[in-house]
Amino acid sequence: MSTDTDATPISDIPPGSAWPERLSSISRHDLPASIVVFLVALPLSLGIAIASDAPIAAGLIAAAVGGIVVGFLGGSPMQVSGPAAGLTVVVAEVIHQFGWQTTCFITAAAGLLQIVFGVSRIARAALAIAPVVVHAMLAGIGVTIALQQVHVLLGGASRSSAFENITELPGQLLTPHGDDFVIGLIVIGIIVAWRRVPDKVRLIPGPLVAVLVGTVLSLVLPGNPDRIKLDSSLFDAIGLPALPSGNWGGVVPAVLTIALIASVESLLSAVAVDKLHTGGRTNFDRELLAQGAANMTSGMLGGLPVTGVIVRSSTNVAAGARTRASTILHGVWILVFSIALVGVVQQVPKSALAGLLIVVGVQLVKLAHIQLAHRTGDLAVYAVTMVSVVFLNLLEGVLLGLAMAFAMLLWRVVKVSVRATPVAGTDRWIVRVDGTCTFLALPKLTKELATVPAGTDVLVELTVDFLDHAGYEAIHDWARQHESTGGNVEFVEIGTARMEHAMTRPPRRGRARGILDEVLGPWRERNGDAVAAGVAAYHRSHAHVMRPHLDQLRDRQDPHSLFLTCADSRIVPNVITNSGPGDLFTVRNVGNLHPADGSDASVEAALSFAVDNLKVHNVVVCGHSSCGAMKTLLAGTSAGPGLDTWLAHARPSLDAYRAGHPVRAVAAAAGYDETAQLSMVNVAVQLEILQRHPVIRQAAAARGLTVSGLFFDISTACVLEVTTDSISEIGRGPLKGAIDADRGKSGSTGIRPTRSPAQSRTA
């Protein structure tokens, strides 16, 4: 698709050598795309003007202004703007209440308000409206349009309300105008069937073909269908708006309604269009400024309100547009057509446009949106909004929908689950409190706590993200009373809100924490005895989760791998291998070494026990970056008698490093420092030593035991695989360049525990 430079406004293109290339790109891509968009926009603009009870020319003016003004000024490079079906209902109501010229003033005022929105840089705030409300609003508009245009299709006139359109529809069905009805049905049939024609034919817009066929049939078939009437040329239709003669109390809500709906629809359309191409992203504030300028211009010239329109925009992208030139040119073609081909417009039967609008209205009711609302529990919001838009008005429908969405949000936010259940086979009970524990939860909380028998042992599991004083007091008072009857109450706090804070500060929602914060959080911020504090936190928050799994392992262990790694405090084997208790038989020493001469009884005993007794499937050696042992080897300095003796076992690794071990070359090419290079070579050498070990060789031959190497890069949290001659990213292949933090985040060790992590923690 396009690039960021493609998204540059035409007016901002630098002069010189860039112009020939740009003009060539415009002629090859944007010019054809603009014609396709023009052919789609033309019948829609006429139909929307009719559906809004506005002058026909108003739809053409709005389409031309939307294309040219927003095209030059807009912040969304591929979005096409013009009159939209989403505003037909509210515009029709405004015209009915204030008249056409005052409606033009309201449109211009709404544009000025949009400019204020854009200057205030609050454009993204319009996106805070729940999508389900927007979807239901569009569905309600679609139903309203379809109900109106069915009467026009049958040769009659639409009524002023949805209720009248429904109640009078049976009578209209009994007295249809045959010529109008046949033409409308043919138009609907062509549009519906057009999606099944070959792709090459479908390059011509279906709505245009349908309206053209309907127009030709209206000229050759008997009958006299009602046609579009243009009283004058487009220039004659241009006129200044009129100030309202009183009733400003009704004008202000109308201005606000049009401004808000036009803004939200434009911004949501821009978001959707951004997903369709790879060019520049939308500048929402700039887009809102452009939409406001277009509405001011359209209102001052006598046009309909303008918004960004997803149908035309998606057509623009699909047609191959590369820059905003396509949007601008489509507006120019509409302007030329409206001036030079007025006679053609007057041959179009209203029933043909009615058929087009019925299809547009039905398409606004999307089954996918209804299914999504059902899956997400928002079907009630969808139904209330849609029905209110149809039978009340657009503003009241949206407000009711937002109120319903807010009520459901409030209910979900304050919702709490409280369950008191006996533990099978024991006289213990467990009380689980999950959610937001506030005074609103007291009826449910006290009811469940009252079911716990007196004198029993109770575990209270609190998984709450908000705990106010009332909730704390209810739980605390019950616990004190229960213990007075001889029972025992133990608290486990898994959630982010803590009981200890309920009496010392105002309630607030706790910070969401992950596994490293909850289970393996560093102690550097703790005071006093860090180990004791950590044990206390473990008992308080996680011991009961571990207990069932560890209970299964109390008589035997069944690890998958022997894990030989460094004693460095920054290496946490179960974290970097995503494994749980019982999965790794871990041996740690300085430098992750296995003495080649077998002189270290401890390492030898661990290896023999893991391979011969525990029957592990894999032996893993894991080194790491910034290793102190490797730094000492490279420096050649003394680290003390005991450490010097131990590091003598690493001399083969240092010799291999200096001799140009293949792993060193790969690590150096990837940008690792000398310490990391030696660490990787050391892992490779340890693998060679282990592969020669009699115990390993016998197990490998008998049952397929494997030996593998890992390297943990501390700065990026990335785990690499090390072999005897190379390094690779697990799942990505040989290492070819520096590994950055973003790539490291997806690293995996490839170790597969006998139990899944979920089973290891919750079994």
Side-chain angles (χ1 to χ4, degrees), residues 693-725:
H693 198 285
V695 172
I696 298 289
R697 294 178 63 181
Q698 181 180 357
R703 53 186 181 83
L705 175 72
T706 60
V707 179
S708 56
L710 300 175
F711 175 81
F712 181 60
D713 185 10
I714 294 174
S715 63
T716 64
C718 176
V719 181
L720 305 177
E721 183 177 11
V722 181
T723 65
T724 56
D725 58 6

Side-chain angles (χ1 to χ4, degrees), residues 417-432:
S417 171
V418 185
R419 300 186 308 276
T421 56
V423 178
T426 70
D427 58 354
R428 290 170 53 85
W429 279 64
I430 183 168
V431 177
R432 293 185 172 91

Side-chain angles (χ1 to χ4, degrees), residues 147-190:
L147 288 175
Q148 290 175 343
Q149 297 306 311
V150 163
H151 288 273
V152 179
L153 181 75
L154 296 171
S158 63
R159 307 311 193 261
S160 59
S161 69
F163 182 77
E164 291 179 358
N165 281 319
I166 293 174
T167 55
E168 297 184 19
L169 183 59
Q172 187 70 65
L173 287 170
L174 295 176
T175 58
H177 291 191
D179 46 359
D180 288 303
F181 184 58
V182 170
I183 291 171
L185 285 183
I186 291 174
V187 169
I188 293 174
I190 292 174

Side-chain angles (χ1 to χ4, degrees), residues 304-323:
L304 286 170
V306 171
T307 75
V309 188
I310 186 61
V311 174
R312 286 166 237 184
S313 302
S314 59
T315 301
N316 189 39
V317 175
R322 295 292 182 88
T323 73

Side-chain angles (χ1 to χ4, degrees), residues 59-359:
L60 299 174
I61 292 172
V65 169
I68 297 172
V69 175
V70 181
F72 269 108
L73 304 178
S76 180
M78 296 296 157
Q79 176 155 271
V80 180
S81 298
L87 277 169
T88 53
V89 176
V90 68
V91 171
E93 291 179 357
V94 172
I95 294 174
H96 177 74
Q97 184 176 359
F98 298 103
W100 172 242
Q101 287 187 304
T102 302
T103 300
C104 292
F105 168 81
I106 291 172
T107 299
L112 179 61
L113 185 57
Q114 286 182 289
I115 291 177
V116 173
F117 290 161
V119 172
S120 303
R121 307 185 68 84
I122 60 171
R124 288 186 179 272
L127 301 179
I129 295 178
V132 66
V133 175
V134 177
H135 296 159
M137 176 194 76
L138 294 174
I141 291 169
V143 171
T144 303
I145 292 173
L147 288 175
Q148 290 175 343
Q149 297 306 311
V150 163
H151 288 273
V152 179
L153 181 75
L154 296 171
S158 63
R159 307 311 193 261
S160 59
S161 69
F163 182 77
E164 291 179 358
N165 281 319
I166 293 174
T167 55
E168 297 184 19
L169 183 59
Q172 187 70 65
L173 287 170
L174 295 176
T175 58
H177 291 191
D179 46 359
D180 288 303
F181 184 58
V182 170
I183 291 171
L185 285 183
I186 291 174
V187 169
I188 293 174
I190 292 174
I191 296 175
V192 172
W194 201 249
R195 69 188 65 180
R196 301 183 182 276
V197 302
D199 292 342
K200 292 184 178 180
V201 179
R202 206 160 57 239
L203 291 175
I204 306 173
L208 177 68
V209 174
V211 172
L212 285 176
V213 171
T215 301
V216 171
L217 289 176
S218 72
L219 296 174
V220 299
L221 293 177
N224 186 27
D226 195 11
R227 302 180 189 276
I228 293 175
K229 295 181 177 61
L230 288 174
D231 298 331
S232 57
S233 69
L234 187 67
F235 290 120
D236 294 332
I238 295 174
L240 292 175
L243 291 173
S245 56
N247 192 20
W248 283 92
V251 170
V252 173
V255 171
L256 184 62
T257 301
I258 291 178
L260 288 176
I261 294 175
S263 299
V264 171
E265 187 168 348
S266 298
L267 296 176
L268 291 176
S269 174
V271 171
V273 174
D274 281 349
K275 298 177 181 178
L276 301 178
H277 66 90
T278 57
R281 302 294 94 180
T282 295
N283 181 324
F284 291 104
D285 294 310
R286 177 175 171 177
E287 180 67 18
L288 209 50
L289 286 170
Q291 295 291 337
N295 274 315
M296 286 192 67
T297 305
S298 183
M300 295 298 290
L301 295 177
L304 286 170
V306 171
T307 75
V309 188
I310 186 61
V311 174
R312 286 166 237 184
S313 302
S314 59
T315 301
N316 189 39
V317 175
R322 295 292 182 88
T323 73
R324 61 183 70 236
S326 174
T327 300
I328 297 170
L329 287 173
H330 118 275
V332 172
W333 305 144
I334 288 179
L335 188 61
V336 171
F337 178 89
S338 304
I339 296 172
L341 298 173
V342 175
V344 175
V345 175
Q346 297 187 89
Q347 299 302 317
V348 178
K350 289 184 178 179
S351 58
L353 294 179
L356 168 63
L357 287 169
I358 288 172
V359 175

